[in-house]
Amino acid sequence: PSLCKHMPLPFLFAAAAQAVDPSLLDVGLAQVAALGQAGRLTPDEEALAVERALGGDAPLLLLAKNFAALPSLETHLRAALQARPPPAGAPAAPPPPLPPPSPPPPADDMLFARRSVVAYRPGPVPAEAVQRALEAAVLAPN
């Protein structure tokens, strides 16, 4: 209901007709709707996220897909909304050059420097460390 105030329906239908992977669009819009319904996005943020999703903003859609189950989705979505998308048809900026690789250390140095951890710190692991490890595990390749 809040989107009706911000976006005319002809825009919504025209934007939905663009070549966007329907499953990716479905996941992205569902996540935006859930955050909006929970009051975690303002109506303006929700409208902008829907507009960008329907416009085929691939980074925003992939963000919604891959962070859907994580509490950090809201934070990442806000950051993505603040970033201006490149104009349609504009080539992506090339990534910065990688630094030259450093030579590997001698094999015997690696073997003698290797250690196993057999003692752990006392006390519980902080909840935010566990959450961060779980977020990294969700994004790790199979």
Side-chain angles (χ1 to χ4, degrees), residues 30-88:
Q31 292 307 314
V32 169
L35 288 173
Q37 233 176 7
R40 293 170 55 194
L41 290 179
T42 68
D44 289 337
E45 289 172 328
E46 181 183 4
L48 179 58
V50 168
E51 180 180 340
R52 297 257 303 264
L54 290 174
D57 185 336
L60 184 120
L61 292 170
L62 290 170
L63 175 74
K65 174 188 173 195
N66 290 299
F67 283 80
L70 301 176
S72 59
L73 171 62
E74 178 183 354
T75 303
H76 295 306
L77 184 60
R78 274 209 176 86
L81 291 175
Q82 290 174 358
R84 294 184 182 251

Side-chain angles (χ1 to χ4, degrees), residues 84-137:
R84 294 184 182 251
L98 295 174
S102 57
D108 58 342
D109 285 355
M110 290 189 300
L111 292 173
F112 291 119
R114 182 171 180 247
R115 299 286 181 253
S116 296
V117 175
V118 293
Y120 301 97
R121 293 181 185 169
V125 176
E128 65 184 43
V130 172
Q131 183 63 39
R132 184 110 169 106
L134 289 174
E135 286 182 12

